[in-house]
Amino acid sequence: MFKSPTWQRRLEGFRRGWYKFSRNPVSVVGLFFVLLVSFLAAFAPYIAPYPEHAGRFVNFREASQPPSLKHPFGTDVFGRDILSRIFFGFRYSLMMGVVVLSLVVPPGVILGLIAGYYRGTWIETLIMRITDIFLAVPPLILALAVCSVLTPSVFNAMMAISLMWWPWYTRLVYGLASSLKHEFFVQAAEVTGASKFHILFREILPNCVSSIFTKMSLDMGWVILIGSALSFVGLGAQPPTPDLGTMVADGAKYLPDQWWIAVFPALAIMITVLGFNLLGDGFRDLFALEEI
Amino acid sequence: MGILRFLAKRLLFSVFVLFGLSILIFLISRVLPGDPVRMALGPRAPEWAVQNLREQMHLDKPLPVQYYYWLVGALHGDLGQSLFTRRAVIDDIKEFLPATMELALFAGVIMAIFGILFGAIAGRYNNTWVDNVVRVFSYIGVVTPSFVFAILFLLLFGYLLGWFPTAGRLSPWVPRPPVITGMVTVDALLTGNWGALGDALWHMVLPAVALALGGMAQEARITRATISDNLKKDYIASAKGFGVPERLVMLKYLLKPSLIPTVSILGLDFASLLGNAFLVELIFNWPGFSRYGINAMLRKDLNAIAAVVMVLGVVFVTVNIIVDLVVAWLDPRIRLGAERGK
């Protein structure tokens, strides 16, 4: 299968893409951070020094220890190893990003394709005006409001963020689709009697993929930021879940004396978000996009 | 005149958006599982009291009727009664909103001025060490949650160095200037109370900067990108070739058109600033609207939640109208009525 000409061509394209991508050291650093965080998250139970500290665990004899060889990032007020909890915290952050994006991208993109293709009709008006309403309030505040009427949990936080996030994809794809519909290849497909489904998903969508993909990479970072903000105020993940935002919020109470409880999880959030941002910027340069 | 029609269209659109937002937020606040009245009165309140309050709040009627009552009330400035403080929500808002607006406006000004300044310098001196420093710092700014900045500032400048106060809007020994606008700095300025003004500004530095940094980094990145693109354009070379003074070229022909994308995104950045104020106010114990909102959310105070989101919607829509007017002034294609491709 991999010997077929199509696959040869794809492999060649990929190789060229990687060459261009790897010319920019900043993008490679981003990729490195993303891979590192994903690796730590995936193998957290095996590489964390104290995997049992991720959940409900108490050892007051080792409570609030400053960073040492035994606990490189120190321990929290319950005596839990912060480094181990950060590894598990990566799991929740990444899960949040992946779940939210897989929930919002398909509907957001489909609505954007339809609104863009039917530009100038009532369908466009309906979809885009609803989108405008959702975009009229900062996403964090709407997500907070939704979370507040639900029971606080990781699951509900993901639902709340998803509910607020799809309009960004609708708007992005709408812009692309409404200009692509005037391209000759779309008109050619129309003239030969291709179905609307074929035109939307086989002609227009493939030309939007690089933009969507880049936005997804950048959004992984934003979703993780908003998720950590939700848990920070207590409307997201609940203790003893090792969520990075919750850990920062808990640690903030013990500043400035036990600074390590809040500072290391905060740095962990920054590294994750930075990785996805650098990666996204790398993709943007690679695909030579402007509008994201 | 193009600008008036533009403004009218923009206002009409905003009214529509706010109307839609009111439906959205009303629906969100009414899908709450459980009985808000029972929660407010406590489990031991007699059934008749619960029933009374429910009728008083129209919660026994079908949803569209409830929405009608709520909307009519809201249009008359009555956003209902808080289920917990038992005060009219509108009074709470009047009390707490100015503090947040003060903080957000200061942060917004810091964000816009320094974001554009750093971005312009980095773009003008593209690929020099200045550019690299600005780029690294703007990356850090973009990826750091504002609550992390707030915590770090509190720790470093508040506790360790002790340069700035760590909580509140005024020192306890400074008498509060009489309330005129509710914004301490403005009130102090209006009454000529320089001591209070200085003290209020001193309290504002840390929270405002913590709030501004994220957006500032964003603005700097965008300004830098546009300026370094426009710098290569032919019209700049020809202006220089005609002997137009360097400063004039830079400020009038390079900076002004380059600000269009920056200003367009200012509205969005101001929105995320208002969202982040929710977290920063919590950390700096700033007695503002966002802290009130968070408390309402944690207590499931329906009317207060709906009001908080609606008020922020109004603020956001207003800011965006202003932003659009500024963009229209910067961009002759809009000012002169030409349709710009979306």
Side-chain angles (χ1 to χ4, degrees):
Chain A
M1 177 183 158
F2 292 104
K3 291 277 182 214
S4 73
T6 340
W7 271 97
Q8 289 289 337
R9 216 168 347 114
R10 280 187 192 166
L11 216 62
E12 182 58 30
F14 182 77
R15 212 177 280 137
R16 280 188 193 167
W18 169 250
Y19 178 79
K20 256 170 84 182
F21 180 84
S22 62
R23 287 303 93 184
N24 187 351
V26 181
S27 321
V28 180
V29 171
L31 183 66
F32 171 74
F33 280 143
V34 169
L35 290 179
L36 177 74
V37 167
S38 316
F39 174 80
L40 293 176
F43 297 102
Y46 308 107
I47 49 179
Y50 306 92
E52 69 278 10
H53 290 203
R56 219 175 279 281
F57 176 88
V58 173
N59 177 6
F60 286 116
R61 261 182 309 169
E62 298 220 338
S64 309
Q65 299 278 316
S68 62
L69 277 180
K70 197 172 170 208
H71 301 287
F73 288 177
T75 60
D76 63 11
V77 283
F78 297 110
R80 295 178 296 198
D81 180 51
I82 290 177
L83 180 69
S84 307
R85 286 176 65 75
I86 286 179
F87 286 1
F88 282 90
F90 285 142
R91 294 190 141 190
Y92 284 91
S93 294
L94 292 182
M95 178 181 79
M96 180 146 240
V98 169
V99 171
V100 167
L101 288 183
S102 40
L103 284 177
V104 300
V105 172
V109 166
I110 291 173
L111 285 175
L113 280 176
I114 294 174
Y117 185 70
Y118 291 102
R119 185 167 184 184
T121 67
W122 63 270
I123 302 177
E124 178 224 354
T125 316
L126 181 72
I127 295 178
M128 292 321 288
R129 293 302 84 82
I130 292 179
T131 311
D132 287 332
I133 293 168
F134 275 88
L135 294 174
V137 183
L140 177 62
I141 291 170
L142 267 188
L144 278 170
V146 175
C147 274
S148 68
V149 298
L150 303 168
T151 342
S153 70
V154 180
F155 178 78
N156 283 339
M158 291 191 295
M159 293 304 118
I161 300 175
S162 307
L163 197 61
M164 299 311 135
W165 215 273
W166 62 269
W168 297 99
Y169 284 89
T170 306
R171 205 164 73 162
L172 172 71
V173 175
Y174 164 77
L176 295 168
S178 57
S179 63
L180 281 169
K181 72 175 280 200
H182 300 297
E183 296 284 334
F184 284 129
F185 63 89
V186 174
Q187 290 177 358
E190 274 170 354
V191 173
T192 51
S195 68
K196 294 287 179 232
F197 184 88
H198 176 91
I199 292 171
L200 287 182
F201 291 95
R202 307 286 304 180
E203 303 289 346
I204 296 180
L205 181 61
N207 288 288
C208 305
V209 166
S210 54
S211 299
I212 298 170
F213 191 61
T214 305
K215 179 148 180 63
M216 282 172 71
S217 172
L218 293 169
D219 275 358
M220 271 299 282
W222 301 136
V223 170
I224 291 171
L225 272 187
I226 290 215
S228 69
L230 286 179
S231 7
F232 181 81
V233 294
L235 288 169
Q238 296 296 304
T241 314
D243 179 273
L244 297 174
T246 320
M247 288 163 76
V248 177
D250 288 344
K253 294 176 207 142
Y254 305 103
L255 288 173
D257 301 325
Q258 291 145 34
W259 53 271
W260 56 88
I261 306 182
V263 167
F264 287 116
L267 287 175
I269 298 176
M270 287 165 65
I271 289 283
T272 318
V273 181
L274 179 67
F276 282 108
N277 259 287
L278 294 178
L279 191 64
D281 283 355
F283 287 140
R284 176 168 34 198
D285 292 346
L286 181 65
F287 302 131
L289 302 172
E290 278 183 2
E291 59 280 281
I292 300 169
Chain B
M1 181 62 207
I3 202 81
L4 278 180
R5 264 194 63 187
F6 175 74
L7 188 64
K9 232 167 112 179
R10 204 58 195 74
L11 281 174
L12 201 68
F13 172 69
S14 307
V15 170
F16 161 80
V17 163
L18 288 177
F19 178 67
L21 180 67
S22 74
I23 295 181
L24 179 69
I25 196 60
F26 180 81
L27 287 178
I28 290 175
S29 72
R30 290 301 189 270
V31 295
L32 171 72
D35 184 350
V37 178
R38 180 52 83 182
M39 268 176 53
L41 292 177
R44 290 200 292 177
E47 186 54 39
W48 58 264
V50 174
Q51 201 55 43
N52 265 355
L53 185 61
R54 195 174 286 146
E55 271 170 34
Q56 200 187 323
M57 294 179 60
H58 309 294
L59 284 174
D60 53 341
K61 308 219 170 48
L63 271 181
V65 180
Q66 285 187 37
Y67 175 71
Y68 170 76
Y69 278 114
W70 185 78
L71 186 69
V72 169
L75 288 176
H76 289 91
D78 173 17
L79 291 162
Q81 199 186 34
S82 159
L83 288 173
F84 282 83
T85 60
R86 285 303 162 78
R87 290 170 17 134
V89 171
I90 192 83
D91 290 338
D92 285 342
I93 291 176
K94 276 184 197 148
E95 186 178 336
F96 294 115
L97 188 60
T100 295
M101 288 317 293
E102 185 179 30
L103 184 62
L105 286 177
F106 265 83
V109 169
I110 295 175
M111 170 178 96
I113 293 180
F114 287 96
I116 291 172
L117 185 70
F118 289 140
I121 293 173
R124 171 69 183 81
Y125 300 102
N126 203 350
N127 288 328
T128 61
W129 66 271
V130 190
D131 185 23
N132 290 332
V133 169
V134 171
R135 280 167 77 181
V136 168
F137 276 100
S138 51
Y139 260 120
I140 296 174
V142 167
V143 302
T144 311
S146 61
F147 62 86
V148 169
F149 275 132
I151 288 175
L152 292 178
F153 284 3
L154 194 66
L155 186 63
L156 192 64
F157 302 109
Y159 289 112
L160 280 180
L161 298 171
W163 291 351
F164 295 99
T166 54
R169 302 169 75 187
L170 276 176
S171 306
W173 60 85
V174 176
R176 200 186 184 298
V179 177
I180 302 169
T181 58
M183 303 191 192
V184 178
T185 45
V186 179
D187 290 349
L189 199 64
L190 289 177
T191 51
N193 186 345
W194 305 115
L197 176 67
D199 194 60
L201 284 176
W202 187 45
H203 275 77
M204 198 129 54
V205 172
L206 288 188
V209 173
L211 205 48
L213 280 177
M216 192 202 288
Q218 200 92 286
E219 300 286 324
R221 277 177 70 177
I222 292 166
T223 314
R224 177 195 168 271
T226 356
I227 292 230
S228 59
D229 276 357
N230 283 349
L231 200 59
K232 294 178 209 129
K233 294 230 167 112
D234 293 342
Y235 77 93
I236 294 290
S238 55
K240 279 184 183 167
F242 281 127
V244 180
E246 173 86 8
R247 259 186 51 200
L248 195 61
V249 175
M250 288 304 139
L251 291 179
K252 188 172 172 190
Y253 297 111
L254 181 61
L255 189 59
K256 197 179 157 193
S258 302
L259 284 182
I260 296 169
T262 314
V263 175
S264 318
I265 209 165
L266 258 178
L268 277 180
D269 278 334
F270 194 76
S272 60
L273 199 141
L274 282 174
N276 285 326
F278 271 70
L279 311 170
V280 172
E281 286 190 3
L282 219 55
I283 294 166
F284 283 98
N285 217 351
W286 190 265
F289 184 61
S290 308
R291 217 180 52 166
Y292 171 74
I294 288 280
N295 283 330
M297 285 168 181
L298 291 171
R299 293 194 217 120
K300 303 199 178 214
D301 191 340
L302 292 186
N303 285 338
I305 296 174
V308 165
V309 178
M310 265 328 279
V311 168
L312 287 173
V314 172
V315 171
F316 181 49
V317 163
T318 317
V319 169
N320 269 315
I321 292 179
I322 298 172
V323 163
D324 280 354
L325 285 177
V326 175
V327 171
W329 172 70
L330 285 171
D331 191 341
R333 283 169 298 186
I334 299 180
R335 189 175 59 217
L336 300 176
E339 189 66 34
R340 201 166 58 132
K342 256 189 181 176

